[in-house]
Amino acid sequence: AKSLANPFRILTLNQAVTDLINSSVFAFIIAPTVFFSLPLPIEVTARLGRLLFLAYDCCSWSHLLITLNRFTFTFFPFTYTEVFSRSKTLIYLVSHQISSVRHPLFSQCSVECNFYLPIGAWNFDFKGGDDCKKVEWYLNYCRNMVLTACIAIIDIVTLIKFHLYSTFDKNSFNKKIQHRQEFFFLIQALCQSLLFYSELICCYNIG
């Protein structure tokens, strides 16, 4: 649908760019540092940690907006163009990007908590006092788990609604193919949420 394409394209592009930043830092800086045991100063890795925080938050919130975009299109098709117009979509993106910037600034300036890569370690860690542990647990781990849970729940509800809707029209072969493609697209989105969960569990629990 043309009404879906433009806002969805904007949201997906934003998520792709922020995910690219996150992946590039790990691929071209963190991975060689760990593999060759390069001793990077804490000031450098702390700045990289803030960048990773920012990129990951932007990517996660973009994922939520994409999920809400599909949810609105499925449940409220007549008001979708009003809720997700081009201008409002851009406002949503700017708002969540500003909110994402506040997180690393708060952890560094307010409670003096650094997210850095210790020399010889394979994973980033938090360095600071007791308040830093609260930042690690509540503002980072729990918040991301709740956010990813909301994404997964909304995706599941959208998937069920779409499946029920697609069963009403069984006559058109082309519509069957289209419904099947969109159904697998939603399945892909749900799998992405599960991958987000796996990443958090590997980073915080296993790592």
Side-chain angles (χ1 to χ4, degrees), residues 3-204:
S3 59
L4 176 66
N6 197 32
F8 186 79
R9 188 186 308 118
I10 294 173
L11 295 173
T12 306
L13 177 62
N14 182 76
Q15 186 193 27
V17 170
T18 52
D19 194 32
L20 178 63
I21 294 173
N22 191 48
S23 302
S24 298
V25 171
F26 274 104
F28 298 109
I29 301 178
I30 304 304
T33 299
V34 172
F35 186 77
F36 296 106
S37 301
L38 302 176
L40 287 181
I42 183 175
E43 294 82 6
V44 175
T45 58
R47 290 191 179 94
L48 291 175
R50 289 194 291 273
L51 178 61
L52 291 174
F53 258 135
L54 175 61
Y56 189 83
D57 268 9
C58 286
C59 183
S60 300
W61 286 105
S62 296
H63 191 184
L64 177 62
L65 286 175
I66 292 172
T67 301
L68 291 173
N69 181 273
R70 288 191 298 263
F71 176 85
T72 306
F73 186 77
T74 304
F75 280 84
F76 309 101
F78 298 107
T79 59
Y80 170 80
T81 54
E82 180 181 351
V83 176
F84 277 95
S85 63
R86 180 183 177 85
S87 58
K88 287 186 178 180
T89 301
L90 293 175
I91 292 174
Y92 300 152
L93 288 177
V94 172
S95 300
H96 90 71
Q97 287 172 354
I98 293 175
S99 177
S100 299
V101 170
R102 292 173 56 190
H103 183 196
L105 289 179
F106 172 79
S107 61
Q108 181 195 15
C109 302
S110 300
V111 297
E112 296 182 357
C113 183
N114 287 315
F115 188 60
Y116 78 112
L117 181 67
I119 297 177
W122 284 63
N123 196 15
F124 275 76
D125 199 3
F126 288 86
K127 182 178 182 180
D130 294 335
D131 290 335
C132 188
K133 293 295 182 182
K134 295 179 181 178
V135 170
E136 177 183 6
W137 179 250
Y138 292 107
L139 288 182
N140 195 28
Y141 181 69
C142 292
R143 186 174 64 98
N144 285 328
M145 291 294 282
V146 170
L147 178 62
T148 310
C150 292
I151 292 172
I153 291 172
I154 296 173
D155 274 335
I156 291 173
V157 172
T158 305
L159 187 65
I160 294 173
K161 172 68 175 180
F162 184 83
H163 180 68
L164 293 176
Y165 170 76
S166 62
T167 58
F168 289 131
D169 189 0
K170 299 181 179 180
N171 297 323
S172 175
F173 179 74
N174 291 331
K175 285 188 176 181
K176 282 184 178 180
I177 296 177
Q178 182 182 357
H179 286 320
R180 191 186 317 161
Q181 291 173 343
E182 293 174 347
F183 180 79
F184 284 123
F185 178 75
L186 291 176
I187 289 290
Q188 177 185 346
L190 184 59
C191 291
Q192 186 178 8
S193 299
L194 294 177
L195 288 175
F196 265 60
Y197 263 122
S198 301
E199 182 180 1
L200 290 172
I201 292 173
C202 290
C203 182
Y204 290 99

